[in-house]
Each structure stands twice: as structure tokens, then as C-alpha cells.
């Protein structure tokens, strides 16, 4: 099974309902019916419905930037897997570095989110969002030669649920490359992507060859083509550059090489 190329826009906490709608509309118009390419938009929770409406008649998918680690209950400020599924969200990003490093999310918390997303599908909700599990080292960890140790640790949620793949996706996002304008070089990223695939296969016996592994961290039109041409890089999780329709569409275009 050939892996699709996925280009996902992580809009983070930007925009208004109007700008979210306009951006989604521009992406829908610009992408058309792309073959071999999956385009995903991840707006803030409160703009999900607007973006879902704008993309309804198109192949563009809509995902959430986060999800609660509990199925339901007294969890003020949280949004559940079932709520996202009911809206029609196809994916949920979990373990983003801003969640880990700014909001102190632990590996254990992220594991519960991964488990819940996986179990929801298994418990008869085929439309439950697919997890995009983010992993990535800080600059300090890279300089200390600990990149792969950190990534292997962050992949642990998969250990108990190897059959979650290839439905689940992975995003390698080196923390030092996020929002800095300094992307990993294609070779640097490829090295880690290949290690992630090998780890999935060896440690978890999972469907590694069919699992989509995205690269994230300062992806832009100028570097997308080179990054996406690497054998184990299956697309990108794009932050800043996903907020400008032209730039994001150029990144999508980079797939059609
Ligand atoms: P960036 O963000 O493209 O702005 O570096 C990527 C991300 O955080 O997903």
C-alpha cells in the first residue's frame, strides 16, 4: 500500500471566524481534486464548525489541535473524542510540543489520549478522529546526542496499541525548528523519520511501512519540495505557513512533483 502524502495546517490560536472561513475557502478552491495528496486543516476548536462547513463539498479534511484524555465528565475547558467525531473531525493532533512544553503535558497524559482515540474506533465509532502523535527533541537534547532516546520514549503510547497503526499518524517536529524559521535539513529529518519507522517495526511489530510520518517545523514553500522528496517523509505539519493561503497551497503543490 502506497502511503499518501499528507499536508496538514496547524493554525494554532490564530484568526477569527471570518478569517478562518476565508482561509478554508481559499484552500478548498486552490487544492481542487488532488490525487495522492490529503489536505487537512486544524483550526482552533471554536472555528471547527465554520471550517467544516466551508470544506463540506471538498476532499479537504478537518482536524482538531488537541483532545481530552477522558471520555466525558467534569473536565472544565476540555473537548472529548466523541464531540470531535460528532462534528466530523477526521484527525486530532496530540502531544504537540507546545502542549508538552508550554502546558506541561506528560507522556502519560498523551498516552491516555492516544488510547482513547484508538479505543473509540475499536468500540464501534469508525468515524473517531485519527491520532497525529507528535514527537520531537529540544535543541539541548539534540546537542546531547539524545534525539532518538527522546523520540523512542515519546513513541511509547504505541507500545500498548500497535494495531493503532497505520490509522494513527506520527509527526516528527524537532522543537528547535518550530516557529523559528530554521527547518531541519532534509537529510537530518530523513534520518529521524527512518529511525521512527524502524522503531515502529522492531519494537511494536506494527504496520510501519503503511504509517504516515509527517515532518513539522518551519516547513514553507521554499523547502517543502526537498523535504517531501525524502523516502520516509510523507508530508508536513505546517504551522505559520499554513495561515497564508498562497503559501500553504504552494506547499501542497510541492507534493505533485
Ligand atoms: P511552524 O509550526 O511550521 O510554524 O514551525 C509547526 C507546528 O508547530 O506544527
Amino acid at each position: 500500500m502506497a502511503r499518501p502524502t499528507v499536508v496538514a495546517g496547524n493554525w494554532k490560536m490564530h484568526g477569527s471566524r471570518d478569517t478562518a472561513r476565508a482561509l478554508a475557502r481559499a484552500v478548498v478552491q486552490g487544492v481542487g481534486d488532488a490525487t495522492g495528496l490529503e489536505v487537512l486543516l486544524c483550526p482552533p476548536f471554536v472555528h471547527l464548525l465554520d471550517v467544516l462547513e466551508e470544506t463540506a463539498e471538498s476532499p479537504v479534511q478537518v482536524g482538531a489541535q488537541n483532545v481530552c484524555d477522558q471520555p466525558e465528565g467534569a473536565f472544565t475547558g476540555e473537548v472529548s473524542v466523541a464531540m470531535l467525531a460528532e462534528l466530523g473531525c477526521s484527525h486530532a493532533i496530540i502531544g504537540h510540543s507546545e502542549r508538552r512544553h508550554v502546558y506541561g503535558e506528560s507522556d502519560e497524559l498523551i498516552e491516555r489520549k492516544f488510547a482513547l482515540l484508538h479505543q473509540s474506533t475499536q468500540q464501534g465509532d469508525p468515524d473517531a478522529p485519527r491520532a497525529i502523535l507528535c514527537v520531537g527533541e529540544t535543541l539541548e537534547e539534540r546537542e546531547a546526542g539524545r534525539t532518538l532516546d527522546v523520540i523512542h520514549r515519546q513513541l511509547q503510547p504505541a507500545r500498548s496499541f500497535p494495531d493503532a497503526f497505520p490509522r494513527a499518524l506520527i509527526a516528527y517536529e524537532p522543537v528547535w525548528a518550530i516557529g523559528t524559521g530554521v527547518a531541519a535539513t532534509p537529510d537530518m529529518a530523513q534520518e529521524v523519520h527512518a529511525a521512527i519507522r524502524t522503531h515502529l517495526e522492531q519494537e511494536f511489530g506494527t504496520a510501519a511501512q503503511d504509517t504516515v510520518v509527517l515532518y513539522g517545523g518551519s516547513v514553507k514553500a521554499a523547502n517543502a519540495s526537498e523535504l517531501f522528496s525524502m523516502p520516509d517523509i510523507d508530508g508536513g505539519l505546517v504551522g505559520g505557513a499554513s495561515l497564508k493561503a498562497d503559501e500553504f497551497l504552494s506547499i501542497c503543490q510541492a507534493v505533485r512533483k
Side-chain angles (χ1 to χ4, degrees):
M1 184 172 94
R3 297 187 296 271
T5 303
V6 179
V7 179
N10 174 8
W11 293 358
K12 308 195 181 181
M13 196 173 71
H14 291 290
S16 63
R17 289 182 68 189
D18 281 351
T19 60
R21 275 194 177 264
L23 184 51
R25 208 174 306 136
V27 170
V28 165
Q29 281 164 5
V31 163
D33 288 321
T35 41
L37 168 68
E38 289 183 16
V39 177
L40 169 69
L41 302 178
C42 301
F45 282 129
V46 291
H47 299 156
L48 279 170
L49 210 45
D50 287 294
V51 174
L52 279 157
E53 279 178 15
E54 292 292 343
T55 55
E57 305 299 323
S58 83
V60 174
Q61 304 179 80
V62 180
Q65 297 174 18
N66 192 15
V67 71
C68 186
D69 67 320
Q70 301 294 330
E72 71 169 323
F75 301 103
T76 302
E78 294 290 330
V79 174
S80 72
V81 170
M83 290 169 183
L84 295 180
E86 187 185 18
L87 280 188
C89 289
S90 57
H91 297 73
I93 298 172
I94 56 171
H96 188 278
S97 93
E98 285 144 22
R99 300 301 320 171
R100 291 179 192 268
H101 298 289
V102 182
Y103 293 98
E105 291 196 1
S106 65
D107 290 332
E108 293 69 30
L109 182 89
I110 295 159
E111 178 154 1
R112 287 198 295 277
K113 295 181 184 199
F114 187 87
L116 214 49
L117 285 163
H118 175 54
Q119 285 159 358
S120 300
T121 323
Q122 292 217 309
Q123 286 160 6
D125 187 355
D127 297 326
R130 298 168 67 172
I132 302 180
L133 172 64
C134 299
V135 300
E137 80 288 3
T138 63
L139 187 59
E140 201 184 7
E141 289 162 342
R142 174 164 279 266
E143 286 176 351
R146 295 180 44 228
T147 298
L148 293 185
D149 292 345
V150 170
I151 283 158
H152 292 167
R153 194 199 75 225
Q154 292 172 338
L155 286 173
Q156 284 313 299
R159 173 162 293 225
S160 315
F161 310 99
D163 57 335
F165 298 97
R167 196 168 194 280
L169 293 73
I170 291 173
Y172 168 55
E173 298 206 301
V175 180
W176 48 270
I178 296 178
T180 60
V182 183
T185 64
D187 286 337
M188 226 182 218
Q190 165 59 26
E191 192 183 353
V192 178
H193 279 238
I196 289 173
R197 215 176 289 289
T198 304
H199 188 76
L200 288 179
E201 199 147 40
Q202 289 177 347
E203 298 290 317
F204 311 140
T206 182
Q209 292 309 322
D210 296 333
T211 299
V212 168
V213 185
L214 305 177
Y215 168 79
S218 298
V219 175
K220 43 195 169 221
N223 61 18
S225 197
E226 258 196 306
L227 284 162
F228 299 170
S229 67
M230 302 311 276
D232 288 295
I233 300 183
D234 307 317
L237 181 54
V238 187
S242 70
L243 295 170
K244 293 172 235 134
D246 287 353
E247 181 83 8
F248 186 68
L249 288 167
S250 300
I251 294 170
C252 294
Q253 204 66 40
V255 174
R256 297 173 185 151
K257 51 195 180 265

